[in-house]
Amino acid sequence: MKKVKIGVLGVYRGRAMIDYCKHDKRVKLCAVCDLNEHALKQLKEELNDDSISYYLEFDQMLNSDIDAVVLANYANEHAPFAIKCLN
């Protein structure tokens, strides 16, 4: 079975999914997006995995090689991102 390639929007709220991807053999964390450049840099250093891409722009992450997106931003901000994913 092919692994599902995951992209996560939100370093802090997405932490549970980021950690989950480390342990589930059915998925692969491929991308993380956040507006906070410092948080992305810290996560990149912590994970130390060159196969993961880091993005400041959501549209760039959407155009990367991912199969699914986890929206781990504020709940009242999900709609515009979900619509972009569906398109």
Side-chain angles (χ1 to χ4, degrees):
M1 178 190 244
K2 179 181 150 187
K3 288 186 178 187
V4 177
K5 296 179 275 186
I6 304 290
V8 176
L9 172 64
V11 168
Y12 298 116
R13 292 177 181 267
R15 191 57 197 228
M17 180 52 86
I18 291 166
D19 291 341
Y20 172 80
C21 288
K22 290 186 217 174
H23 304 289
D24 191 319
K25 305 290 187 225
R26 299 169 296 175
V27 299
K28 169 70 177 122
L29 179 65
C30 292
V32 180
C33 179
D34 200 293
L35 292 174
N36 185 331
E37 189 172 2
H38 180 71
L40 281 174
K41 183 179 178 186
Q42 283 183 320
L43 181 65
K44 183 176 183 176
E45 290 173 2
E46 176 188 333
L47 296 179
N48 193 29
D49 183 342
D50 291 335
S51 70
I52 302 170
S53 299
Y54 298 87
Y55 299 94
L56 292 169
E57 299 285 333
F58 184 71
D59 290 340
Q60 290 178 341
M61 184 177 77
L62 275 184
N63 290 323
S64 69
D65 187 26
I66 56 175
D67 300 316
V69 174
V70 175
L71 297 177
N73 57 336
Y74 293 116
N76 64 333
E77 297 175 351
H78 283 346
F81 295 100
I83 291 166
K84 285 184 175 195
C85 292
L86 293 170
N87 287 332

